[in-house]
Short mmCIF file of all heavy atoms in Angstrom, two decimals:
data_model
loop_
_atom_site.label_atom_id
_atom_site.label_comp_id
_atom_site.label_asym_id
_atom_site.label_seq_id
_atom_site.Cartn_x
_atom_site.Cartn_y
_atom_site.Cartn_z
N PRO A 18 -42.68 -8.85 -1.34
CA PRO A 18 -44.05 -8.51 -0.93
C PRO A 18 -44.21 -8.13 0.53
O PRO A 18 -44.56 -7.02 0.84
CB PRO A 18 -44.85 -9.76 -1.28
CG PRO A 18 -43.85 -10.85 -1.29
CD PRO A 18 -42.54 -10.24 -1.69
N MET A 19 -43.93 -9.02 1.45
CA MET A 19 -44.21 -8.76 2.85
C MET A 19 -42.95 -8.46 3.66
O MET A 19 -43.04 -8.17 4.85
CB MET A 19 -44.91 -9.97 3.48
CG MET A 19 -46.27 -10.25 2.88
SD MET A 19 -47.45 -8.97 3.26
CE MET A 19 -47.89 -9.40 4.89
N PRO A 106 -43.17 -0.35 -1.76
CA PRO A 106 -44.51 -0.88 -2.01
C PRO A 106 -45.38 -0.78 -0.76
O PRO A 106 -44.87 -0.85 0.37
CB PRO A 106 -44.25 -2.34 -2.38
CG PRO A 106 -42.95 -2.66 -1.74
CD PRO A 106 -42.16 -1.39 -1.75
N THR A 107 -46.65 -0.60 -0.96
CA THR A 107 -47.59 -0.60 0.17
C THR A 107 -48.23 -1.98 0.24
O THR A 107 -48.66 -2.53 -0.75
CB THR A 107 -48.68 0.47 -0.01
OG1 THR A 107 -49.34 0.24 -1.25
CG2 THR A 107 -48.07 1.86 -0.01
N VAL A 108 -48.26 -2.51 1.45
CA VAL A 108 -48.76 -3.85 1.67
C VAL A 108 -49.79 -3.80 2.78
O VAL A 108 -49.57 -3.17 3.80
CB VAL A 108 -47.62 -4.82 2.05
CG1 VAL A 108 -48.16 -6.21 2.31
CG2 VAL A 108 -46.55 -4.85 0.98
N GLU A 109 -50.90 -4.47 2.56
CA GLU A 109 -51.90 -4.57 3.62
C GLU A 109 -51.73 -5.92 4.30
O GLU A 109 -51.55 -6.94 3.65
CB GLU A 109 -53.31 -4.46 3.04
CG GLU A 109 -53.60 -3.07 2.49
CD GLU A 109 -55.04 -2.95 2.04
OE1 GLU A 109 -55.89 -3.69 2.57
OE2 GLU A 109 -55.30 -2.11 1.19
N PHE A 110 -51.80 -5.91 5.62
CA PHE A 110 -51.60 -7.15 6.38
C PHE A 110 -52.89 -7.84 6.61
O PHE A 110 -53.90 -7.36 6.88
CB PHE A 110 -50.93 -6.86 7.71
CG PHE A 110 -49.53 -6.30 7.53
CD1 PHE A 110 -49.29 -4.96 7.72
CD2 PHE A 110 -48.50 -7.13 7.18
CE1 PHE A 110 -48.02 -4.45 7.56
CE2 PHE A 110 -47.23 -6.62 7.02
CZ PHE A 110 -46.98 -5.28 7.20
#
Side-chain angles (χ1 to χ4, degrees):
M19 296 293 281
T107 57
V108 179
E109 293 185 26
F110 296 104

